[in-house]
Amino acid sequence: MDEALKTPLRLGGSAFIMCLAITCTILGSALYDDWLPMTCLIPLAVSVVPFLLWSQPSQQDFMAMDDSGQSLFQLLAQALTTVFAVSSPALLLTMIHNSMIVWQAGLWVVGGYALLGLSTGLMLRHFATSADDMIV
């Protein structure tokens, strides 16, 4: 397959899987008339904000670099992104365990999280393989 065609197909397929994940979450809430699982989308939506704010350090970054060459802002962004991304499924599983939501609706949302993880993995794999081909 042509290299110019692979990138749109990979990213388009990943975006389609991400749309399916969001659809599973909304469908699980709508089918069982239990809208509390929708609150689990809030940490997922917020999880990208620290990474977007602090992932690219400026040249005059006053924070020291660590041994891996990352600034403390980058490490903080990765830590906050991880905390938000992990807290969302943990919140969902806590609500299922405490019978706050219907377990069938929770299963739909867990399926959405599985699809979201697959989509994120596909995007990261694409960016890792295409980073070698980029001209900076």
Side-chain angles (χ1 to χ4, degrees), residues 34-115:
D34 191 4
W35 294 99
L36 200 54
M38 293 295 287
T39 59
C40 294
L41 291 178
I42 295 169
L44 284 179
V46 173
S47 68
V48 296
V49 173
F51 193 68
L52 290 176
L53 290 177
W54 295 319
S55 66
Q56 300 295 326
S58 66
Q59 294 295 333
Q60 300 175 14
D61 193 2
F62 64 90
M63 299 298 262
M65 298 282 195
D66 68 348
D67 294 338
S68 66
Q70 291 181 320
S71 73
L72 294 179
F73 282 128
Q74 287 177 314
L75 296 174
L76 176 67
Q78 290 173 355
L80 288 176
T81 301
T82 304
V83 166
F84 283 129
V86 169
S87 68
S88 184
L91 175 65
L92 174 71
L93 294 175
T94 303
M95 287 192 290
I96 292 171
H97 179 71
N98 290 331
S99 301
M100 293 173 66
I101 60 174
V102 180
W103 67 270
Q104 293 96 339
L107 285 179
W108 276 95
V109 179
V110 168
Y113 283 144
L115 288 172

Side-chain angles (χ1 to χ4, degrees), residues 26-35 108:
I26 294 171
L27 189 62
S29 296
L31 283 176
Y32 298 99
D33 198 27
D34 191 4
W35 294 99
W108 276 95

